[in-house]
């Protein structure tokens, strides 16, 4: 069974630009979550989607948004990039939470210059 | 406010011995706990989980213990192998709608297993 796939693996953007990251969950998983990992803050929850609906959201500004498609694939968008948005962005999928482990992809490394 | 804490930034163990990684939490609403392993340039890999209705869960060389009264959990790896060298994250979640997809992670412990 294929794991969670994230594209692209690496991305370099300039401050003020916007970026879209893509995630394909494990087949059969309908819940997709996004996380940001930075050296200072660790792993921080961004949001969760299930059946194309955002069910939960972390404490990030509105510049961070996402969506989920009918095939459970998800995208995350960050607008008006700031230097502090440089991070590893991780997508995870699971069967119906809670009490179902999240399975993570290898992430997209975003660098904002 | 760090609700999940891994107080040991690093742990060094000899191959074949036991590795014990510790984690403390403060939020009494947490009822599901997980351990992940992470190699550089890869995403976290799920290892083992435990529900708050249990105090122990085993999967091969990995055992997780939960002490709800102390709000403490630990991961035991026996025997430790050099391939276990990685960063280990403890994570927790609570039931309920506001917790969908949300895990609260500790800061991680770097485990080094020496041959």
């Amino acid at each position: 069974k294929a794991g969670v796939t994230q594209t692209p693996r690496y991305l370099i953007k300039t401050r003020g630009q916007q970026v879209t990251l893509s995630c394909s969950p494990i087949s059969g998983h309908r819940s997709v979550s996004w996380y940001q990992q930075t050296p200072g803050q660790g792993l921080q929850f961004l949001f969760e989607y299930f059946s194309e609906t955002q069910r939960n959201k972390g404490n990030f500004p509105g510049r961070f948004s996402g969506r989920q498609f009918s095939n459970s694939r998800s995208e995350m968008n960050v607008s008006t990039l700031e230097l502090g948005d440089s991070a590893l962005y991780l997508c995870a999928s699971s069967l119906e939470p809670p009490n179902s482990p999240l399975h993570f992809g290898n992430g997209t490394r975003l660098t904002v210059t | 406010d760090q609700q999940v804490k891994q107080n040991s930034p690093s742990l060094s163990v000899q191959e074949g011995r036991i590795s014990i990684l510790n984690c403390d939490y403060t939020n009494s609403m947490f009822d599901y706990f997980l351990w992940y392993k992470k190699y550089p340039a890869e995403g976290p890999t799920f290892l083992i989980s435990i529900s708050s209705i249990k105090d122990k869960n085993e999967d091969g060389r990995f055992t997780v213990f939960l002490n709800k009264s102390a709000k403490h959990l630990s991961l035991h790896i026996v025997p430790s192998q050099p391939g276990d060298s990685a960063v280990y994250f403890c994570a927790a979640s609570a039931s309920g709608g506001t917790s969908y997809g949300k895990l609260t992670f500790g800061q991680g412990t770097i485990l080094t297993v020496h041959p």
Side-chain angles (χ1 to χ4, degrees):
Chain A
K1 205 175 201 180
V4 176
T5 304
Q6 291 187 247
T7 56
R9 286 297 309 274
Y10 302 93
L11 209 46
I12 300 175
K13 289 287 187 179
T14 304
R15 195 171 40 183
Q17 288 185 316
Q18 74 163 15
V19 66
T20 299
L21 313 180
S22 181
C23 172
S24 293
I26 292 172
S27 178
H29 287 191
R30 294 166 64 191
S31 171
V32 174
S33 304
W34 289 88
Y35 285 77
Q36 180 195 66
Q37 185 180 24
T38 58
Q41 298 298 316
L43 281 146
Q44 302 276 307
F45 171 73
L46 281 156
F47 29 65
E48 187 262 3
Y49 286 87
F50 183 89
S51 291
E52 302 178 67
T53 300
Q54 184 184 89
R55 294 195 302 183
N56 200 6
K57 191 176 188 307
N59 296 324
F60 279 82
R63 299 184 297 107
F64 292 82
S65 63
R67 59 178 176 168
Q68 186 182 34
F69 302 95
S70 58
N71 60 0
S72 294
R73 194 177 67 84
S74 178
E75 286 181 349
M76 186 192 118
N77 184 275
V78 188
S79 62
T80 319
L81 284 166
E82 301 177 358
L83 295 179
D85 297 332
S86 294
L88 180 66
Y89 289 90
L90 292 160
C91 169
S93 73
S94 71
L95 295 169
E96 173 65 16
N99 290 10
S100 184
L102 270 61
H103 297 273
F104 286 85
N106 284 331
T108 294
R109 171 71 65 185
L110 172 65
T111 302
V112 182
T113 62
Chain B
D1 174 29
Q2 206 171 342
Q3 298 185 56
V4 177
K5 295 180 185 178
Q6 294 175 253
N7 291 318
S8 298
S10 63
L11 175 67
S12 183
V13 171
Q14 207 66 30
E15 180 179 7
R17 307 294 289 268
I18 184 172
S19 295
I20 300 177
L21 297 109
N22 294 301
C23 178
D24 296 298
Y25 62 96
T26 57
N27 189 338
S28 57
M29 299 300 292
F30 288 150
D31 58 5
Y32 183 57
F33 305 88
L34 310 91
W35 284 94
Y36 286 85
K37 176 172 76 172
K38 188 177 186 301
Y39 294 117
E42 293 184 12
T45 299
F46 169 69
L47 284 174
I48 191 168
S49 63
I50 187 167
S51 165
S52 60
I53 62 173
K54 293 183 163 186
D55 54 19
K56 177 183 173 182
N57 189 26
E58 280 182 87
D59 185 359
R61 297 187 297 115
F62 302 93
T63 302
V64 56
F65 295 91
L66 176 62
N67 182 332
K68 289 184 289 293
S69 60
K71 293 190 174 69
H72 176 84
L73 65 155
S74 61
L75 174 68
H76 292 209
I77 306 174
V78 184
S80 301
Q81 300 172 354
D84 295 330
S85 297
V87 181
Y88 286 77
F89 289 96
C90 166
S93 71
S95 299
T98 59
S99 298
Y100 287 129
K102 181 179 180 180
L103 295 179
T104 301
F105 284 86
Q107 292 297 98
T109 296
I110 301 170
L111 172 65
T112 305
V113 180
H114 299 283

